[in-house]
Each structure stands twice: as structure tokens, then as C-alpha cells.
Amino acid sequence: MTDGYIGDIAYPAVFHREMMPAWLDAVLRGLGQPAPDFAGRFRWCELGCGAGLNSLAVAACHPQAEVVAFDIDPAQVRAARAAAEAAGLRNIAFHQAGFTEIAAAPEERFGQFDAIVTHGVLSWISAAQRQAAMAFIARALRPGGVAYAHYMTHPGMSAAAAAQPLLRRHAETLPGDSTQKARGALQFLSRLSEAGAGYFAAHPQERHRLQAALRQDDHALAHELLPAHWQPFHIGEMMAVFAGAGCRYLGSATPAENIDAVCLPARTRPLVAGLTDPVLAETARDIARNQTLRRDLYMRGGQPLPPDAHLRALGGLGLAALPGAPRG
């Protein structure tokens, strides 16, 4: 492990559409928020890029952009650099560094960015690394820039938080690499479930989570379960952290979560609609839908678009059906 994080196996390369400029542009238009000019020249940063799949996609789709990505794992960074070289991408740079290193670097070393994104990181790293990541965002996100933050949240992960220390400590007693340790620890938890452990009787959703985990890719499983600093957050905590970095909460990068009529149980909607405090309202939404993961959007400064500008922004949004999509 590196600072409590898994270091002996690679994190699997997974594409996350929510971090892509076109997706963010569309969501921000829907929210009535100004967006960086992703059609022009812009600077893009990913914190915790792994093998760089998402940053590589941004660089390939936006040759006018400058993409900078960081990861603490030297093997992952070598793989990302090799992929960029093979693809002939000259507008992307990968740096092997922890967040404490980049936060301590001179401001001019990396400059400022129109977008800073991080997925699968904040809930799995140490408090010192997380604080450093936020210090970097506070310094490096331009006025009007957008930040994307993915993390585990309460209440959906509250019960899971009780089992994670058992999984991690049991894994430490097992031989093999992190994939073998994670699989063995999960099988032990499965035997507890089959033996009638009261935890699963009190929290039946954890049996479903366990069954889903048993079907998961071994590499993803190890990175999900074994980090020493595994931690869900309340939305109010994360909103306060980003406010301290000079960023205001905009909404979710998952569009449906911004529409109460779609994502909340019907009888909870009037209760949430009456809440004027943003932290209270978002916390109530998470309770209402038993939220497990969040994909938050934040912005450095800026103001919501006035109604006429919001309509123009929506009118300028181009949509196309994917191949094979049903036609009305």
C-alpha cells in the first residue's frame, strides 16, 4: 500500500462519462449554470487518473485542450504515458505524484484549470492527501471553473462502513496479493451471512451488496474494499470542504438526481421542496433515496444564469440518438 492505499495491483481502467466535457456542458446547461468554453481552448486536470483512460479520452476528443493528470502509482503513470505516445497525443501530460506533492509545488508549476475532476479517490485516501487535493483545487481552479467530485456517501454506505474494517483486517491475515486477499475476506463475510449473522438481518441491503461484490472484478474489488482510509461522507461535509476551497455547490453530474420528480419517492417530495437551506435539502434528498455514491459539481464563483440566458443555453444544446437507440 501507499499511504494506506493499494499499491501492488493496478486499478482497472473504467470510462466515466460524467467527467467528459460534453457531458458536463449539457448538465450545467440543464442546471442553469455557466460552463467553461469547452468548444474553445481549455485546461483540464484529473486527480487520481489511474491508467489515464478518461484523461486520454478528453485529450483525444479535444485537441485544442491541454490535459494534465496525476496519479501516485508509477506503474499506472508509465502505462498512461505509453498509451498517449501510442495514440500520438501531444496535448496531455501525466505526472507521478501524491496530492501533498502537487499542493506543495509552486503555483506556476501546473497553472490553473477550467475543470478539475476526481473519481474514485476522495473516499479512499488519507485525510492529509484529501486536504492536499482540496488545497490544490482551491489554488488551481480558475474563476468560473468547474470541479467534479465522486465519493461514497451516507446513508447508503452507513451500514457498509461497519463491515469494511472487518474485511480489511481479515484480508491482512491472508496470503497472496490484494486481489486474493480481498476475495478471501469477502468470502469470509459471505460465510457470516450464511451463518445468520445479525448484521445481515438488520441490514438486508448489505446481503445484496455482498452478492454484487462477489460478482465484481477482482482488481476493482481490492481497490474498493482494502484501502485503510475507506470513508463515506455526508453531503454537508463535502459542501463545507468545497466552500472552504472557494467553490459553490451546483448539483449532481447525474442528471436525474437534479430532478426531484424523477429521483425521490413521491411522498417525500413536498417535504424536500419546503427546505430552503441547501445543505439540509441535499441531506434530505440523500436520506430519501438512500444515496450511496455522489457525483457532485462545484464551481469557483459565478452566478446562475438568468432565465433568458438559461433558455438560450438550453436551445444551443445539440442532442443526437446513439446508434441502435429506439425511435419514436
Side-chain angles (χ1 to χ4, degrees), residues 244-316:
C247 299
R248 62 187 179 92
Y249 176 75
L250 303 180
S252 173
T254 304
E257 292 180 358
N258 298 317
I259 307 171
D260 289 350
V262 173
C263 72
L264 299 184
R267 292 173 62 187
T268 68
R269 295 171 200 158
L271 299 172
V272 174
L275 301 176
T276 58
D277 176 70
V279 173
L280 182 57
E282 285 303 309
T283 303
R285 288 186 175 96
D286 282 356
I287 294 289
R289 58 195 175 212
N290 196 38
Q291 191 85 0
T292 59
L293 297 168
R294 289 192 65 102
R295 297 175 176 88
D296 292 348
L297 297 177
Y298 295 87
M299 180 170 286
R300 165 65 54 75
Q303 294 293 329
L305 298 173
D308 58 339
H310 187 189
L311 288 174
R312 287 196 300 272
L314 290 172

Side-chain angles (χ1 to χ4, degrees), residues 9 13 23 51 84 111 130 146 164 168 208 217 221 243-244 265 280 288 294 306 311 316:
I9 58 169
W23 185 278
R130 190 164 49 250
V146 63
Q164 193 272 341
R168 181 169 54 82
H208 298 301
D217 172 82
L221 192 66
L280 182 57
R294 289 192 65 102
L311 288 174

Side-chain angles (χ1 to χ4, degrees), residues 183-203:
R183 181 64 58 183
L186 202 64
Q187 289 169 348
F188 175 72
L189 187 63
S190 181
R191 291 195 294 273
L192 283 174
S193 173
E194 293 166 0
Y199 167 77
F200 291 100
H203 304 286

Side-chain angles (χ1 to χ4, degrees), residues 37-261:
D37 181 11
F38 291 129
R41 295 179 61 84
F42 64 91
R43 299 191 77 232
W44 178 274
C45 176
E46 183 175 3
L47 302 178
C49 65
L53 177 60
N54 295 280
S55 290
L56 289 163
V58 174
C61 293
H62 299 272
Q64 82 283 10
E66 181 183 352
V67 178
V68 179
F70 300 93
D71 201 89
I72 199 170
D73 186 337
Q76 292 278 63
V77 171
R78 286 194 297 271
R81 288 172 176 164
E85 181 68 24
L89 297 175
R90 300 291 179 263
N91 61 332
I92 188 167
F94 290 98
H95 298 275
Q96 189 270 312
F99 300 144
T100 51
E101 295 174 65
I102 65 172
E107 185 172 350
E108 62 273 13
R109 173 72 175 87
F110 301 113
Q112 290 193 312
F113 298 91
D114 300 285
I116 300 178
V117 300
T118 181
H119 189 103
V121 173
L122 295 179
S123 279
W124 293 269
I125 56 176
S126 69
Q129 291 286 351
R130 190 164 49 250
Q131 290 163 5
M134 293 309 305
F136 179 77
I137 291 172
R139 186 184 72 193
L141 188 64
R142 285 176 175 161
V146 63
Y148 164 94
H150 164 273
Y151 58 95
M152 294 184 293
T153 192
H154 296 289
M157 296 301 291
S158 298
Q164 193 272 341
L166 179 144
L167 288 167
R168 181 169 54 82
R169 292 184 68 87
H170 190 271
E172 291 172 355
T173 71
L174 300 175
D177 64 14
S178 290
T179 61
Q180 296 165 311
K181 290 175 180 289
R183 181 64 58 183
L186 202 64
Q187 289 169 348
F188 175 72
L189 187 63
S190 181
R191 291 195 294 273
L192 283 174
S193 173
E194 293 166 0
Y199 167 77
F200 291 100
H203 304 286
Q205 78 276 8
E206 294 309 310
R207 183 175 287 109
H208 298 301
R209 194 190 312 279
L210 171 61
Q211 292 167 351
L214 288 167
R215 299 190 296 270
Q216 197 171 353
D217 172 82
D218 283 347
H219 284 70
L221 192 66
H223 283 273
E224 164 66 27
L225 297 180
L226 300 186
H229 304 291
W230 189 102
Q231 182 179 0
F233 295 97
H234 292 282
I235 173 60
E237 294 177 278
M238 201 57 71
M239 289 172 75
V241 166
F242 272 89
C247 299
R248 62 187 179 92
Y249 176 75
L250 303 180
S252 173
T254 304
E257 292 180 358
N258 298 317
I259 307 171
D260 289 350

Side-chain angles (χ1 to χ4, degrees), residues 12-37:
V14 180
F15 177 72
H16 301 292
R17 60 187 182 181
E18 293 86 358
M19 298 198 296
M20 295 299 104
W23 185 278
L24 291 178
D25 179 79
V27 174
L28 291 171
R29 288 171 188 255
L31 289 168
Q33 300 290 342
D37 181 11

